[in-house]
Amino acid sequence: MIKNYLKVALRQLRKQKMYAAIKIGGFAFSIAACLLIALYIRDELSFDKSYPNAANVYRLLGHYHDGSVDEKGVDWPSVMAKVIKQDYPEVEKSGRLMPNSLFWGAGANELKRADQADNTHEEGFAYADQGLIDILNLPMVYGDPKHALSEPLSMVIAKSKADKYFPGQNPIGKVMYLNNNKTRPFKIAAVMQDIPGNSHLHDFKFFITLAGVEFWNGEQATWDANNYHIYMALKPGTNIAQFSKKVNDGILKNYYIPNMTRNGDKRASRVMSMFNLMVQNVQDINLRSYDVHDGMSHGDIRFVWLFGAVAGFILVIACINFVNLSTAKSANRAKEVGLRKVVGSQRSGLIRQFLAESLVYSFFSFVLGLILAWALLPYFNTLASKSLIMPWAAWWLVPVVMTSAFLIGIVAGIYPAFYLSGFKPAEVLKGNLSNGSKSSVLRNVLVVFQFATSIILIISTVVIYNQMQYLLNKKVGFEKDQVVMIQGTNTLDNQVKPFKNELLKLSTVKSASISDFLPVSGTKRNGNQFYIEGREKIDPTVGGQFWDVDHDYLKTLGIKLVAGRDFIPDMKADSQAVIINQMMANKLGLKNPIGKKIVNYGPGKTIIGVVQDFNFNSMRDGIEPLVMHLSSSESIVSVKIKAGDVKKALDQITATWKQFAPNQPIRYTFMDERFASMYADVQRMGRIFTSFAVLAIMIACLGLFALAAFMAEQRSKEIGIRKVLGATIGNITAMLSMNFVKLVFIAIVIATPIAYYAMTQWLQDFTYRVQLSWWMFALAGVAAIMIALATVSYQSIKAALMNPVKSLKAE
């Protein structure tokens, strides 16, 4: 019997080629989408589980909330690791990570072997101590993991980097230089396995020891500088909630409050109410740090839930569309069912027959879905910023696919099987088809649901696109166009200024500036506390950025002075002068700031100028207070080139670079491109919503096509009678189409407030944002109606052109 069921199923598949293609194609696309989303979720949930003691490894997290400020961060004083270990017996080990590129060596460097002349640009440097290696149990290829970072001027490198610089060799004991600095030779003490991609530390390829390191006098003992990520291994069985409260109360009362009181910080009395310390398990860092400022790339648990919901939605809709397409062709199977029953077939046998057909469709769909998932994986990786691969060799793939195909085939086929097998032989053989589903509320609800979802996604895509264009084209207070950022210039040592002077002689160059503090991502930041000189014990401090710039910084970036003057090259007093932005003046309460002195650390600095506020962080955030002073910061030279021949300008700049650094390739980026990269996540979200919108519309159209076919068959006699009585093709087409247009209008009414609320909430993340406009919703509604009309027009026109004799001859 099974062989017979399969033979009949294959015969039906060949007989109804178009419907079979729609069934299998729609199912296959849905399955491919679900498989890709499943791979994404599986990867996200696998983060940081490879550490042997991951369940007991935590990092210290801080939550600062004061008025409109609500931030989470992971930067702590260096001394915090020692205090955590000595004060709390629950802590077995503590360790530090310092990835802040503000400090020489962290971030990106020009690297070379001691016995070679050429530099190579490398990223992924961070300072760490032996405690971090011990806590994470990082596996080593060469060297002793227990002493990997215990010696000063030692370094641990990833195996891929060892293979790059020392192919086929054991590099232990070899010396490497950073940024041509031969006064600090780093010896390779160990080679670690590359940190896997599903670790929050996967970007790091080089760990520089913190042994013997002090970035300035007293830096390792102060509570006033926060630059270190603190990790700890807790004893098994530790009550995390109690431990977090214990650490919060103890650290604040015993260390922070006394230190703030000594410094005259007015916030000392309020610190317990506005600051919380807590611990975060290492396995939660990737998905539950979307609101944490840690400088790392990680996922978002909200995206996992969104993707999971989308996968479930797609699968359910695909199953229901399968039901619609099966029942839509019920008239073609009615006589078959009647004849089978007349010659003795039982309903149970017919149910098994139709379930077998459903399973055949399901298995074909899964095979095609796997192929589509494999073909679409590169696009999906770009969409989600992943590097996923199809797990062809995984033991679980075939069992999971086969089981899923069986279950989905049964679920999708069970309703059509019972529906089709329930026809009464006497009725169907006379030409009467059951019309119990003629006005199915379920089907109407499905269409409304599908199109409501599609409209929400269309509106979201339109809003995200407009927000992206707004961010990229908004005036930000500085000139980002035609600015070339030359990187790695710190390797020129004392030749950086001569290099800049040579650039200024080029015919294509307008101006140039030496500073690696720039208003785009990937450049340095330096947070400080400021107060007016003489009022340190009176006023609360103002947090702001403290940037190193040169005399040509404002001119090169087109930053406008609104009061005072710029730095003057030959004026020695300017070494103790600063230029502030309007926000800093407002926060300090200075109406006439020129000539006033402000203090952070050391002697007061005289304000000589005020610049117009400009955005130097993402426009999700407001403009922060900023102080600029003259100082050396030489890893980037920004060059403002004249409008015209960009290629000629780059050729001239490259030729000049080769004169100064023949052993180092030039690296440069355009500032406007770097600015745009600050919003890569917004662009990615736009692509995701666009893709989901297209997929949802496609699935909705399949459902609508099925419903249109079903309704045309159910109303065939009505259409025949109307034509006999004089109805035109246009009348009948309009009659059938308007039923669906009404459903789409209902979907628009439902979707509009939902989309408005969702996009309003999303836009709250941006200080600068577009206003939601009526045309965004109207565009989505019109698009949905046009798509619906285009989908049903084929079936409507086909039904209107049908010969009424065929539908009425049985009467």
Side-chain angles (χ1 to χ4, degrees):
M1 287 300 291
I2 293 175
K3 182 180 178 181
N4 183 61
Y5 291 157
L6 293 175
K7 187 183 295 184
V8 173
L10 292 172
R11 187 181 299 147
Q12 285 294 327
L13 192 149
R14 289 194 300 269
K15 184 180 178 182
Q16 299 179 356
K17 292 184 177 63
M18 186 184 75
Y19 274 82
I22 293 174
K23 276 184 181 181
I24 294 174
F27 232 153
F29 270 105
S30 302
I31 290 164
C34 289
L35 285 171
L36 292 174
I37 291 172
L39 289 175
Y40 169 86
I41 293 175
R42 177 172 170 266
D43 181 72
E44 288 290 296
L45 296 177
S46 70
F47 266 70
D48 294 307
K49 297 188 185 300
S50 60
Y51 307 122
N53 191 33
N56 296 314
V57 176
Y58 291 79
R59 73 172 178 179
L60 192 62
L61 194 67
H63 184 196
Y64 179 79
H65 41 91
D66 183 23
S68 61
V69 179
D70 193 315
E71 297 178 348
K72 291 181 181 177
V74 294
D75 294 308
W76 305 98
S78 175
V79 70
M80 180 72 82
K82 180 181 177 181
V83 166
I84 286 280
K85 177 69 174 66
Q86 72 182 16
D87 287 9
Y88 300 95
E90 296 91 340
V91 179
E92 289 185 335
K93 301 171 186 174
S94 65
R96 297 170 294 163
L97 176 73
M98 209 291 292
N100 192 339
S101 62
L102 179 66
F103 300 96
W104 185 93
N109 293 287
E110 304 300 323
L111 182 69
K112 69 178 181 180
R113 287 172 46 164
D115 58 349
Q116 294 182 352
D118 292 348
N119 280 304
T120 302
H121 176 74
E122 294 286 2
E123 299 181 357
F125 286 82
Y127 284 90
D129 60 14
Q130 182 60 41
L132 184 71
I133 303 293
D134 295 339
I135 290 169
L136 300 178
N137 283 298
L138 297 178
M140 299 295 166
V141 180
Y142 299 110
D144 182 3
K146 295 182 180 179
H147 300 93
L149 291 176
S150 59
E151 296 295 325
L153 292 176
S154 60
M155 182 167 61
V156 172
I157 68 174
K159 184 179 183 300
S160 61
K161 299 303 178 182
D163 293 340
K164 177 179 178 179
Y165 290 96
F166 305 94
Q169 303 177 48
N170 179 346
I172 301 301
K174 301 291 186 181
V175 173
M176 304 194 82
Y177 294 131
L178 273 59
N179 305 313
N180 280 344
N181 188 344
K182 296 181 180 179
T183 64
R184 299 181 69 184
F186 286 95
K187 185 181 293 185
I188 298 175
V191 176
M192 63 181 175
Q193 290 283 3
D194 282 67
I195 297 175
N198 59 349
S199 165
H200 74 287
L201 300 174
H202 70 272
D203 288 334
F204 297 115
K205 308 296 182 184
F206 305 88
F207 287 125
I208 303 171
T209 184
L210 279 166
V213 172
E214 189 170 44
F215 292 106
W216 68 86
N217 188 29
E219 181 262 340
Q220 290 293 304
T222 184
W223 285 89
D224 295 323
N226 302 296
N227 297 301
Y228 295 83
H229 300 188
I230 306 299
Y231 289 77
M232 64 198 83
L234 301 183
K235 293 178 180 177
T238 300
N239 185 306
I240 301 304
Q242 292 179 3
F243 176 72
S244 289
K245 187 176 188 311
K246 184 178 178 182
V247 168
N248 178 73
D249 294 346
I251 295 293
L252 292 180
K253 290 178 180 177
N254 298 330
Y255 298 98
Y256 270 96
I257 292 177
N259 183 68
M260 294 172 75
T261 302
R262 284 193 300 270
N263 293 338
D265 194 326
K266 296 298 181 182
R267 297 173 299 170
S269 61
R270 298 188 295 115
V271 71
M272 294 295 292
S273 63
M274 67 183 188
F275 197 73
N276 295 98
L277 281 75
M278 61 198 81
V279 294
Q280 181 184 39
N281 186 261
V282 69
Q283 297 172 101
D284 293 332
I285 291 175
N286 177 57
L287 290 178
R288 291 176 171 81
S289 299
Y290 55 86
D291 57 347
V292 176
H293 297 289
D294 60 6
M296 298 180 182
S297 58
H298 37 61
D300 188 333
I301 189 63
R302 297 173 300 181
F303 260 62
V304 170
W305 285 112
L306 174 64
F307 273 41
V310 167
F313 163 76
I314 289 171
L315 199 57
V316 169
I317 296 303
C319 290
I320 299 175
N321 280 346
F322 183 89
V323 171
N324 281 352
L325 285 164
S326 297
T327 55
K329 300 299 292 180
S330 58
N332 296 345
R333 306 298 299 275
K335 290 185 179 180
E336 175 193 342
V337 172
L339 287 171
R340 282 174 177 270
K341 285 189 172 182
V342 167
V343 298
S345 291
Q346 299 296 316
R347 187 177 188 187
S348 58
L350 291 170
I351 289 173
R352 287 194 293 270
Q353 167 65 55
F354 292 125
L355 285 177
E357 292 181 20
S358 177
L359 288 171
V360 167
Y361 281 111
S362 181
F363 279 107
F364 273 121
S365 299
F366 263 87
V367 171
L368 182 57
L370 276 171
I371 296 171
L372 284 171
W374 171 75
L376 293 171
L377 189 57
Y379 170 74
F380 185 80
N381 280 331
T382 301
L383 197 70
S385 289
K386 287 287 185 180
S387 300
L388 305 174
I389 59 172
M390 287 297 292
W392 296 116
W395 65 268
W396 49 264
L397 182 64
V398 173
V400 167
V401 168
M402 295 296 287
T403 304
S404 300
F406 179 80
L407 292 175
I408 290 173
I410 295 295
V411 170
I414 197 162
Y415 173 74
F418 276 90
Y419 174 76
L420 295 172
S421 64
F423 291 145
K424 296 177 181 179
E427 293 294 324
V428 297
L429 293 176
K430 286 195 303 181
N432 296 328
L433 186 65
S434 170
N435 57 6
S437 299
K438 183 176 178 180
S439 307
S440 173
V441 174
L442 174 64
R443 286 183 173 77
N444 291 344
V445 169
L446 172 63
V447 171
V448 170
F449 179 65
Q450 286 176 320
F451 272 88
T453 304
S454 301
I455 292 163
I456 290 170
L457 290 173
I458 293 171
I459 293 170
S460 300
T461 301
V462 172
V463 173
I464 292 169
Y465 175 80
N466 278 273
Q467 175 66 11
M468 188 69 217
Q469 293 304 307
Y470 176 76
L471 294 177
L472 294 180
N473 296 309
K474 182 183 182 297
K475 291 184 178 180
V476 290
F478 66 93
E479 296 175 7
K480 60 183 183 294
D481 299 325
Q482 304 292 121
V483 177
V484 180
M485 298 164 54
I486 305 171
Q487 298 158 327
T489 53
N490 52 325
T491 59
L492 302 179
D493 297 326
N494 57 358
Q495 293 297 300
V496 178
K497 290 183 179 178
F499 171 65
K500 171 190 168 184
N501 293 333
E502 287 300 313
L503 290 174
L504 292 173
K505 295 177 183 178
L506 300 178
S507 60
T508 55
V509 172
K510 291 177 68 175
S511 62
S513 172
I514 303 170
S515 175
D516 44 22
F517 290 85
L518 294 166
V520 290
S521 63
T523 59
K524 289 185 178 179
R525 296 291 181 268
N526 184 11
N528 278 246
Q529 297 295 321
F530 297 88
Y531 51 86
I532 301 170
E533 188 177 57
R535 298 186 63 85
E536 56 269 29
K537 302 293 184 180
I538 303 171
D539 298 332
T541 58
V542 174
Q545 288 290 308
F546 193 46
W547 287 10
D548 303 335
V549 302
D550 70 356
H551 302 89
D552 296 315
Y553 188 87
L554 301 186
K555 179 172 66 174
T556 302
L557 298 186
I559 298 171
K560 183 181 178 182
L561 271 168
V562 294
R565 63 174 176 84
D566 199 351
F567 296 113
I568 299 175
D570 298 327
M571 188 172 291
K572 293 184 178 180
D574 278 3
S575 63
Q576 292 300 311
V578 293
I579 295 174
I580 66 174
N581 68 350
Q582 293 170 310
M583 181 61 69
M584 176 59 80
N586 292 335
K587 291 290 185 181
L588 289 171
L590 295 174
K591 293 184 178 179
N592 299 298
I594 304 303
K596 302 292 194 303
K597 286 190 174 184
I598 60 173
V599 179
N600 59 341
Y601 300 105
K605 297 174 177 61
T606 305
I607 300 172
I608 62 168
V610 179
V611 295
Q612 186 179 66
D613 285 337
F614 61 96
N615 290 94
F616 52 84
N617 288 326
S618 167
M619 279 188 276
R620 285 184 175 85
D621 308 312
I623 295 173
E624 291 183 42
L626 172 66
V627 176
M628 293 176 281
H629 71 119
L630 289 173
S631 188
S632 175
S633 181
E634 301 178 339
S635 66
I636 298 177
V637 173
S638 300
V639 183
K640 179 74 172 180
I641 61 176
K642 296 176 182 177
D645 193 344
V646 175
K647 184 179 183 303
K648 180 181 178 182
L650 295 176
D651 289 343
Q652 289 182 345
I653 292 169
T654 301
T656 305
W657 172 264
K658 288 180 178 178
Q659 296 173 19
F660 286 83
N663 297 318
Q664 182 178 323
I666 189 171
R667 290 189 308 108
Y668 61 82
T669 56
F670 286 92
M671 185 172 284
D672 56 350
E673 293 176 353
R674 183 71 71 86
F675 180 83
S677 71
M678 295 168 66
Y679 305 102
D681 59 332
V682 182
Q683 291 176 313
R684 185 165 62 248
M685 180 174 282
R687 290 195 298 268
I688 288 172
F689 271 88
T690 300
S691 301
F692 284 166
V694 170
L695 187 59
I697 289 167
M698 186 181 76
I699 295 172
C701 288
L702 284 175
L704 202 60
F705 185 87
L707 186 55
F710 183 84
M711 294 296 291
E713 290 194 67
Q714 290 290 317
R715 302 180 69 176
S716 60
K717 288 188 175 65
E718 176 190 345
I719 292 169
I721 293 169
R722 286 180 180 273
K723 290 193 72 173
V724 168
L725 295 176
T728 65
I729 293 174
N731 295 145
I732 294 170
T733 301
M735 177 191 72
L736 292 174
S737 299
M738 283 307 296
N739 290 330
F740 302 110
V741 173
K742 290 175 185 177
L743 297 179
V744 177
F745 267 114
I746 295 171
I748 293 171
V749 172
I750 294 172
T752 298
I754 297 174
Y756 181 86
Y757 174 78
M759 286 295 97
T760 300
Q761 292 299 113
W762 181 73
L763 288 171
Q764 294 303 314
D765 286 342
F766 299 88
T767 301
Y768 305 96
R769 52 185 178 264
V770 295
Q771 296 297 318
L772 293 179
S773 178
W774 66 268
W775 67 265
M776 299 176 181
F777 302 91
L779 178 64
V782 170
I785 291 171
M786 296 303 294
I787 290 168
L789 285 173
T791 303
V792 302
S793 61
Y794 170 77
Q795 290 293 349
S796 299
I797 295 171
K798 180 181 174 183
L801 291 172
M802 184 177 59
N803 188 345
V805 174
K806 291 183 179 180
S807 58
L808 297 176
K809 64 182 179 180
E811 295 298 320

